[in-house]
Amino acid sequence: MSTTKLLVALTATVLAGTSAAGAAEYFNRIASFPVAQNAPEAKATSSEIIAATDDGMTLIYSDSPGGGIGFVDITDAKAPKPAGYMAMDGEPTSVTIIGAKAYVGVNTSESYANPSGKLVVVDIAGQSVDGEYPLGGQPDSVAHNAAGTLIAVAIENERDEGLGDGGLPQMPAGFVVVFDVAAKTLKTVDVTGLAAIGAEDPEPEFVDFNSQDEIALTLQENNHIVIIDGHTASVVANFTAGTVTTKNVDTKKDGAYDFTGGKADLPREPDAVKWLDDDRFVIANEGDWNGGTRSFSILNRTGEVLFDSAAQLDQNAAQLGHYPDKRNKKGVEPEGLEVATFGDTKYIFVTEERSSLIAVYKDTGADPEFIQSLPSGMSPEGLVAIPSRHLLATANETDLREDGGVGSHVMLYELAEGDAAYPQLISDLDADGLPIGWSAISGAVADAEKPGMLYAVSDSFLSAAPSIYAIDATAKPAHITGKLLVTRNGDAAQKLDLEGITLDGEGGFWLANEGDAAKLVPHALLHVDAEGEIIAEAGLPVELLAGQTRFGTEGVAAVGTGKDQVLWVAMQREWGDDDKGFVKLLAYTPSLKAWGAVRYPLEAAPKGGWVGLSEITVHGDYAYIVERDNQIGDKAGLKAIYRVKLSDMVAAPLDGDLPVVSKELVRDLVPDLKSANGYVVDKVESLAIDASGKAYVITDNDGVDDSSGETMFWSIDAL
């Protein structure tokens, strides 16, 4: 079989996420907490900034859309529980904890032009308000010093992005408040006249104390950094955050990954800042107005840049299938930071809002060392380390429940010896040393002879570069070792939504293309050669298309070879001529160009949802079929593998009575999906069984579009 173009050798680089036996420590997710459990009646609820009590047993998070703060009991970190919710009479923006009290920044602004806010002191045990202190403006970040005697509040007084060109200046100016915890008094720090950009209108974003009670402050839109003496409430240093010329990044939202682009002289526009020691601090260069350099940087107190991660975060996300092509103006968008020491190791944690990853680095005193990337919920913003319990918690802000998606989650990770559980699938670098970009894996097939060798396709998310990927599943994690572009007349094929793949027995493949009449995308089978060129197409017959819907061909499997080859196609949902609860398994004989079908009985659909087929593959005497609902998280109920005897799959003409096949449950996949300690994802899309009988299951991450980007890839020894 001539598939050598896809069999690219593995690089000599140590596989990401693996470790020497028993020697290394990694963070792994141990639990996820849906914050809607704290506010079940809320239309929208979120977790954004998060803090932990001194004993590490309770988490408190700010919920801006819900207008309150939530409490999470993590006494048993592997089984977090709802522990209460408090309304804040405003929009909480941040929270920090000193002893028995939580200090919450609350925005009460009536307009951009007339901002206001307050610092609310909360008794944690009683979940009651102990005091409220007017801040004179709209707060953003809140932080306290190590002694618990001072609190710094960044008063942003954010601009109206819809006013004019959305730029600076837009008065009133922001400032910083320093709150004396014992005296309950406030001092204001004026930071106007410092930045080269919008000097009269500073917009403070994030604050953090070092051990000398100095406050590092980012002015994000002003691209500036200020150091303040917390005791005297005076500015002691200030400097620009600087600019970066980005290289080897994807700059176009075009349905393809191309990491050869770049942009010149972009301002860093940092969001979060955290001190590493009394001289160095780290910033997350999210960008807001004009910039964002897709990186994090380490600077010293004089403004000297000691390190910049450049394209590391983007390229790592691309290798993990997490790169956000649809929102790639600022790449993965690093936003939040945490710095904490576990044992003898000081870690830097970077939240990536658009890739939904947490990058973990080790502080070496020089260039930091990349350790791992953690899967988080959608749009991680805040995070807090609890070294005394070997824990890390993240707050993930996006709530998609109103649209049928998953809600905001708090996720917990534990540091322990052993291997990293994530990623489960990672790509190699190409010949130019750039990532093999991938996402949205939608169908797979195993090599006929080589155990553990798979071929997979991605769906319409990568519409400008439909591709076939070679996967070495014998590696841990599994590795994408090569990528083959699907072409028509030598150019990237258009109007494709690839949802299935099978071997043609001659070195090429048959691909299932799911159609969409509204977009002029045909429901069809495509025959491609070993170079990826389309050499034949078989559109679905006219009598079927009369009742077509958007949900069509979702998998394809070959039985036999040569002129006796029959292609079985799984149709996802009922079409117009189907009885409710039944879908077709289509049979196409390429040598005769003839179609037939049988009917497959679906499980009952959940209330407000649907059940359909996602994949079909053949092994031995059976066709194995993935059947699933379209539900996610706690609502997910059906994700399963069924099998049908091939001897019962006797196709009848499409214009006659189609026989109904009997199915047998082989494996409930919900426990497998729960084993990652996140929420249950909705799209189990790929199933392949290799020559040894080992099965491989892959989920579709939707290209990180309204998705956390997490791809699960696991094996089942014998079905």
Side-chain angles (χ1 to χ4, degrees):
M1 184 175 65
S2 176
T3 52
T4 55
K5 187 169 183 177
L6 283 173
L7 297 176
V8 181
L10 290 175
T11 65
T13 306
V14 176
L15 303 185
T18 62
S19 66
E25 289 186 321
Y26 289 95
F27 290 89
N28 281 313
R29 187 170 53 199
I30 57 172
S32 297
F33 175 77
V35 300
Q37 289 187 14
N38 265 335
E41 303 303 318
K43 184 178 180 180
T45 184
S46 180
S47 57
E48 295 163 303
I49 302 302
I50 191 164
T53 53
D54 290 349
D55 63 3
M57 297 297 176
T58 303
L59 300 172
I60 303 177
Y61 60 86
S62 62
D63 176 7
S64 173
I69 58 172
F71 299 74
V72 186
D73 179 357
I74 59 167
T75 303
D76 180 353
K78 295 182 179 180
K81 299 175 182 178
Y85 191 87
M86 286 183 64
M88 286 286 105
D89 191 24
E91 177 191 354
T93 59
S94 187
V95 59
T96 193
I97 296 173
I98 303 172
K101 311 294 183 184
Y103 296 81
V104 186
V106 180
N107 177 18
T108 58
S109 303
E110 65 178 36
S111 68
Y112 290 105
N114 188 22
S116 64
K118 58 187 177 180
L119 183 67
V120 180
V121 184
V122 173
D123 178 79
I124 297 172
Q127 295 189 10
S128 59
V129 174
D130 259 13
E132 296 188 358
Y133 302 89
L135 293 170
Q138 170 251 314
D140 196 333
S141 169
V142 177
H144 72 270
N145 65 347
T149 58
L150 297 174
I151 290 175
V153 185
I155 304 299
E156 182 176 14
N157 292 342
E158 65 183 343
R159 72 191 193 281
D160 181 355
E161 295 182 16
L163 181 65
D165 63 0
L168 302 178
Q170 288 187 31
M171 310 309 283
F175 51 93
V176 172
V177 166
V178 179
F179 178 76
D180 186 307
V181 174
K184 298 181 173 55
T185 57
L186 299 88
K187 295 179 180 178
T188 298
V189 184
D190 180 7
V191 289
T192 60
L194 303 179
I197 299 170
E200 69 273 38
D201 182 21
E203 292 202 7
E205 187 75 22
F206 208 95
V207 286
D208 189 52
F209 281 93
N210 66 11
S211 71
Q212 302 300 311
D213 291 345
E214 293 177 313
I215 303 163
L217 165 71
T218 56
L219 306 177
Q220 184 172 27
E221 288 81 358
N222 310 89
N223 196 42
H224 210 72
I225 297 167
V226 181
I227 298 177
I228 298 167
D229 184 316
H231 295 287
T232 63
S234 59
V235 173
V236 296
N238 75 95
F239 37 82
T240 178
T243 62
V244 174
T245 294
T246 60
K247 299 177 181 178
N248 295 328
V249 295
D250 186 358
T251 60
K252 296 179 180 179
K253 186 178 79 171
D254 58 0
Y257 295 128
D258 178 5
F259 296 98
T260 62
K263 291 187 177 181
D265 298 325
L266 286 174
R268 287 188 170 91
E269 292 186 347
D271 188 325
V273 59
K274 286 284 183 177
W275 289 96
L276 289 167
D277 50 41
D278 289 339
D279 183 61
R280 300 175 303 137
F281 55 86
V282 57
I283 54 175
N285 304 319
E286 178 196 26
D288 190 295
W289 184 21
N290 290 318
T293 58
R294 308 165 182 243
S295 64
F296 71 95
S297 307
I298 296 174
L299 289 77
N300 65 19
R301 59 183 302 110
T302 67
E304 179 186 2
V305 177
L306 306 177
F307 169 81
D308 189 276
S309 66
Q312 286 183 21
L313 299 180
D314 271 20
Q315 294 194 7
N316 175 258
Q319 287 188 270
L320 273 57
H322 279 255
Y323 187 77
D325 183 71
K326 277 197 173 180
R327 298 199 60 170
N328 73 356
K329 178 183 177 182
K330 295 182 285 185
V332 299
E333 208 162 309
E335 180 172 15
L337 290 167
E338 175 66 309
V339 172
T341 300
F342 290 72
D344 296 328
T345 303
K346 182 180 291 184
Y347 291 97
I348 302 168
F349 305 91
V350 186
T351 68
E352 302 173 14
E353 184 178 9
R354 298 306 173 195
S355 71
S356 294
L357 290 169
I358 310 298
V360 184
Y361 282 77
K362 175 184 176 181
D363 178 28
T364 67
D367 288 358
E369 174 190 346
F370 174 74
I371 302 297
Q372 65 182 128
S373 284
L374 299 172
S376 201
M378 273 186 289
S379 301
E381 181 169 351
L383 68 173
V384 61
I386 311 174
S388 63
R389 299 188 64 193
H390 311 289
L391 297 176
L392 173 74
T394 66
N396 305 276
E397 64 179 334
T398 298
D399 182 359
L400 295 177
R401 291 174 301 142
E402 189 175 10
D403 299 322
V406 73
S408 169
H409 279 70
V410 168
M411 294 195 171
L412 286 152
Y413 309 81
E414 184 177 47
L415 179 66
E417 285 190 355
D419 292 342
Y422 199 81
Q424 296 172 354
L425 179 63
I426 187 170
S427 71
D428 287 343
L429 302 179
D430 64 19
D432 296 319
L434 299 175
I436 299 174
W438 66 277
S439 64
I441 298 296
S442 54
V445 67
D447 189 271
E449 299 173 357
K450 186 176 180 181
M453 188 66 217
L454 312 181
Y455 307 98
V457 290
S458 53
D459 65 23
S460 59
F461 181 80
L462 297 178
S463 58
S467 298
I468 301 170
Y469 304 89
I471 300 175
D472 179 1
T474 66
K476 186 179 179 181
H479 263 235
I480 293 177
T481 61
K483 177 178 175 180
L484 184 65
L485 188 67
V486 176
T487 58
R488 184 181 281 115
N489 299 321
D491 297 320
Q494 303 297 305
K495 303 292 184 182
L496 296 189
D497 181 6
L498 302 180
E499 296 287 349
I501 180 172
T502 193
L503 307 176
D504 71 354
E506 299 174 350
F509 304 93
W510 282 95
L511 309 178
N513 191 60
E514 185 174 38
D516 185 347
K519 297 180 180 179
L520 302 179
V521 178
H523 295 281
L525 294 177
L526 310 175
H527 192 188
V528 302
D529 63 20
E531 302 300 313
E533 177 71 13
I534 297 173
I535 55 177
E537 301 185 39
L540 268 57
V542 173
E543 56 266 40
L544 278 184
L545 294 176
Q548 69 177 294
T549 72
R550 172 69 183 88
F551 303 93
T553 54
E554 275 287 318
V556 59
V559 177
T561 58
K563 64 181 180 61
D564 297 322
Q565 187 177 68
V566 176
L567 303 176
W568 284 96
V569 181
M571 300 296 286
Q572 185 168 57
R573 294 178 61 187
E574 302 98 331
W575 277 18
D577 59 344
D578 289 317
D579 293 332
K580 185 175 178 59
F582 293 87
V583 293
K584 295 183 185 71
L585 299 178
L586 298 176
Y588 178 67
T589 306
S591 63
L592 301 176
K593 298 184 179 180
W595 291 89
V598 298
R599 291 194 297 161
Y600 177 96
L602 295 170
E603 297 298 293
K607 183 178 180 180
W610 53 261
V611 164
L613 307 186
S614 283
E615 177 70 291
I616 183 171
T617 193
V618 169
H619 183 74
D621 297 327
Y622 293 90
Y624 292 83
I625 295 168
V626 174
E627 186 175 348
R628 66 170 180 89
D629 59 27
N630 68 330
Q631 303 298 294
I632 191 170
D634 294 340
K635 292 183 178 180
L638 176 65
K639 319 287 181 186
I641 300 172
Y642 290 86
R643 70 179 185 181
V644 176
K645 290 182 179 179
L646 290 177
S647 59
D648 292 346
M649 294 169 59
V650 180
L654 294 174
D655 59 357
D657 292 330
L658 302 181
V660 178
V661 297
S662 297
K663 66 181 185 182
E664 175 188 1
L665 177 64
V666 175
R667 188 179 182 95
D668 178 4
L669 298 175
V670 172
D672 296 313
L673 294 166
K674 288 182 176 179
S675 68
N677 299 317
Y679 52 79
V680 177
V681 297
D682 53 340
K683 292 190 174 182
V684 182
E685 292 275 305
S686 301
L687 172 66
I689 305 175
D690 72 10
S692 72
K694 179 176 284 191
Y696 299 89
V697 184
I698 316 173
T699 62
D700 180 349
N701 73 358
D702 276 337
V704 207
D705 183 23
D706 286 342
S707 165
S708 70
E710 187 168 347
T711 295
M712 294 186 66
F713 182 109
W714 74 97
S715 63
I716 304 169
D717 282 340
L719 287 177

